[in-house]
Amino acid sequence: MTTLSRSESFPQRLKSWRQSRRISQLELSLRCDVSQRHLSFLESGRARPSEGMVLSLGQALEIPLRERNALLLAAGFAPRYRESDLSEPEMAAVTKALDHLLQKHEPYPAVVIDHLANLQRANQGADRLMALLMADAQSDLAAGGQPNLMHVLFSPDGLRPYIKDWEKVAHFLLCRMRAESIAAGEPQDMVDLIDALYRYPDVPQHCPLETAHEWRAPVLTTTFEKDGHNLSFFTTITTLGTPFDVTLQEVRVEHFFPADEETEAFFRT
């Protein structure tokens, strides 16, 4: 699927989403309880959709909320889904839940990130890990605030020098991000991030599947080596189950679990 520009019309967007989901006009019409003829007219521009029809199509095609807003705008309607800041009062219950997940994962690292891997929150375990790995960094990546974790992992001035088998880890991270981007309709901000990551020196340009058998563990592990420490992790990602807000649909909690006894002992002591 090619990236949709903001200037593309509703018919173009609808057809692109349907084709990217590999759904026929007949199947989509059945999902939305309309005739195939009407759906064909919507894709050709011979008919204009109602707001309810756009919302029904977005749900049937499982389009992310951010892109459903774009679909509504292209059809001439106002966006339906909010994009809130986690600091807003309406988000208090959700942020409390996110903080609970971070706290309960102590002493091991856990972070809250958005769809671009911008850091939103971190627990003390993550702060300790970053303090160890970034203690000698001379770049703005170590300046605190809300860094982008993908840039931190790919930059020679970030964590990259301390990641064992960095090229293999980068393969999988890029493959995952590209898959997430395609599933989300290749939004421009994700495309721009992936392009920026590829501009770092010596970034692998391909994601060969044959490297998967080289990993001894049943999951991808990332090992950091610094100051005599070898810290190995695998991660899980938690998302909110029923979001009606763009921010909440894109937020995720990444938990880092020790992959060996040495890493577990480091954090527990």
Side-chain angles (χ1 to χ4, degrees):
M1 179 177 176
T2 58
T3 303
L4 289 170
S5 70
R6 292 302 175 189
S7 62
E8 290 206 328
S9 66
F10 173 82
Q12 291 172 313
R13 286 178 175 276
L14 174 58
K15 185 175 181 179
S16 293
W17 274 111
R18 181 181 61 77
Q19 292 177 339
S20 74
R21 296 303 193 232
R22 301 181 183 276
I23 297 176
S24 67
Q25 284 187 348
L26 176 60
E27 182 178 352
L28 182 57
S29 67
L30 292 173
R31 291 185 184 186
C32 296
D33 195 24
V34 297
S35 69
Q36 182 180 357
R37 183 170 182 266
H38 180 59
L39 185 61
S40 176
F41 280 10
L42 291 178
E43 286 194 2
S44 66
R46 296 175 64 184
R48 292 190 61 184
S50 66
E51 183 181 28
M53 186 74 250
V54 178
L55 294 173
S56 179
L57 289 166
Q59 182 175 359
L61 291 169
E62 299 181 351
I63 299 175
L65 300 185
R66 181 183 296 276
E67 296 304 315
R68 291 190 203 186
N69 279 343
L71 197 65
L72 284 162
L73 284 170
F77 301 105
R80 175 63 69 93
Y81 303 98
R82 293 181 53 188
E83 184 175 359
S84 307
D85 191 281
L86 290 177
S87 62
E88 295 181 17
E90 294 83 357
M91 295 291 192
V94 175
T95 54
K96 183 177 180 180
L98 295 175
D99 289 338
H100 177 80
L101 291 173
L102 294 178
Q103 180 183 1
K104 291 301 181 180
H105 197 61
E106 299 284 7
Y108 308 122
V111 295
V112 176
I113 57 177
D114 63 14
H115 68 300
L116 297 176
N118 293 313
L119 181 66
Q120 305 295 316
R121 277 171 161 74
N123 68 355
Q124 294 182 9
D127 290 339
R128 288 194 294 271
L129 178 63
M130 289 297 290
L132 169 68
L133 297 176
M134 301 292 286
D136 304 322
Q138 301 297 319
S139 71
D140 57 358
L141 296 173
Q146 295 182 326
N148 181 276
L149 297 189
M150 293 299 289
H151 280 293
V152 171
L153 289 168
F154 276 71
S155 172
D157 297 325
L159 299 182
R160 175 174 170 175
Y162 312 116
I163 300 177
K164 183 179 179 181
D165 296 325
W166 176 82
E167 287 191 359
K168 294 180 180 179
V169 173
H171 273 309
F172 283 88
L173 291 176
L174 285 169
C175 284
R176 187 178 76 178
M177 177 156 284
R178 287 168 61 187
E180 291 176 351
S181 175
I182 292 172
E186 296 195 282
Q188 193 61 51
D189 54 0
M190 294 189 74
V191 172
D192 290 343
L193 174 59
I194 294 171
D195 288 343
L197 296 177
Y198 274 116
R199 286 197 291 271
Y200 283 115
D202 303 319
V203 172
Q205 299 297 311
H206 305 286
C207 302
L209 295 177
E210 60 269 22
T211 61
H213 74 277
E214 299 177 8
W215 295 93
R216 296 181 180 180
V219 291
L220 171 66
T221 58
T222 301
T223 300
F224 299 97
E225 298 177 325
K226 188 181 181 188
D227 297 341
H229 298 291
N230 289 272
L231 306 177
S232 297
F233 302 93
F234 64 91
T235 67
T236 63
I237 295 177
T238 302
T239 59
L240 296 173
T242 53
F244 290 104
D245 182 280
V246 174
T247 300
L248 296 186
Q249 185 180 62
E250 294 175 346
V251 76
R252 60 201 66 186
V253 183
E254 188 156 8
H255 294 88
F256 291 73
F257 288 89
D260 55 35
E261 293 182 357
E262 180 181 352
T263 305
E264 181 174 359
F266 174 86
F267 283 94
R268 289 200 170 276
T269 55

